[in-house]
Amino acid sequence: MAQQMPVQKQQRAHVRVDDTLPLAWRRIDDSRVAYVLSHYEKNRTFPPKINDINSLLGSLDVHDALRQLESSDPVLTRILGRLDQKLNLLLRLFHPSETERPMALTMVNISGGGISFLDRNPELDVGDMLELRLALSVDSLMLIECMARVMKVAQTEQNGLTQVACRFEPILDQDRERVIQYIFKRQSELLRAKRGY
């Protein structure tokens, strides 16, 4: 099921960048695909997960307490805020639910329309459906979770790694926009670095 987008959005969706980002994926069976797509069609969201790490982290949020502390001790607030971010990231990376793989820094090529990534012996075929979890930086507090259809699986010459190219199918509109904004920002950073300023 491909999401239909206006031409201008389609053009923006094809802007892409190479990067190394935290990524986890898992192949899902036809019954899970049907369930997720049905829920998505009705609600324009993905079904909630039991014991979802994002929900658990949300319930432990300390941002309000940090905002109150900021006026009396801004330095301590910044330090505690960064520690909170790092702990949240470590939890997401190393303690996913029992059915999910831990996120690992992965070489990717990403656009608003899809992602390709390198993996060792992924045992995937064209047409397989994946659930993806992706962070747009190493210390990102927000994860993008979506489904993707495998469009290509090809051996590379890079240390026996396999390239897996996927099309987002579906991805939430706000997550697609976050990916596109990230790509523009990253391209700008790379251009500045190339020019030396």
Side-chain angles (χ1 to χ4, degrees):
M1 176 198 84
Q3 290 173 291
Q4 296 298 314
M5 294 184 291
V7 174
Q8 185 178 14
K9 279 191 175 181
Q10 285 179 4
Q11 291 170 340
R12 291 181 75 232
H14 291 293
V15 176
R16 58 183 55 251
V17 71
D18 292 317
D19 209 342
T20 302
L21 297 172
L23 173 73
W25 60 267
R26 71 177 178 134
R27 182 178 35 230
I28 52 176
D29 62 29
D30 292 343
S31 63
R32 174 74 180 161
V33 171
Y35 170 69
V36 171
L37 291 179
S38 173
H39 188 280
Y40 181 84
E41 286 297 321
K42 290 177 189 166
N43 305 294
R44 284 300 187 230
T45 63
F46 293 109
K49 295 179 183 175
I50 298 171
N51 295 327
D52 175 31
I53 190 72
N54 286 331
S55 300
L56 293 172
L57 288 175
S59 70
L60 300 173
D61 190 17
V62 296
H63 283 97
D64 290 338
L66 287 175
R67 263 188 246 119
Q68 291 174 352
L69 179 64
E70 188 170 22
S71 61
S72 62
D73 196 338
V75 174
L76 180 60
T77 302
R78 281 195 300 276
I79 293 169
L80 292 175
R82 293 299 288 171
L83 286 173
D84 182 50
Q85 288 178 336
K86 288 181 180 186
L87 288 172
N88 285 341
L89 179 64
L90 289 172
L91 282 170
R92 287 190 183 117
L93 290 175
F94 300 110
H95 296 285
S97 72
E98 291 178 9
T99 60
E100 295 177 335
R101 297 167 64 157
M103 294 175 75
L105 285 175
T106 306
M107 294 181 355
V108 302
N109 179 278
I110 188 168
S111 75
I115 188 170
S116 70
F117 58 90
L118 297 177
D119 204 324
R120 192 169 303 284
N121 304 318
E123 298 183 18
L124 292 171
D125 295 311
V126 171
D128 284 347
M129 289 295 287
L130 308 179
E131 284 184 333
L132 300 179
R133 289 183 301 122
L134 171 72
L136 293 178
S137 70
V138 173
D139 61 354
S140 175
L141 291 176
M142 293 294 296
L143 293 182
I144 291 176
E145 296 181 303
C146 66
M147 290 176 55
R149 182 177 302 278
V150 175
M151 305 304 288
K152 178 182 172 184
V153 179
Q155 286 299 122
T156 70
E157 296 178 11
Q158 297 178 321
N159 299 324
L161 294 173
T162 300
Q163 180 189 31
V164 180
C166 304
R167 179 177 64 214
F168 296 137
E169 206 174 291
I171 184 171
L172 299 178
D173 288 340
Q174 63 264 28
D175 286 341
R176 185 188 311 276
E177 186 58 30
R178 286 175 52 221
V179 168
I180 292 168
Q181 290 301 320
Y182 169 78
I183 292 166
F184 284 134
K185 178 182 170 212
R186 189 70 180 122
Q187 286 179 335
S188 177
E189 290 170 354
L190 292 170
L191 186 59
R192 281 197 307 274
K194 187 176 180 180
R195 291 179 177 168
Y197 57 87

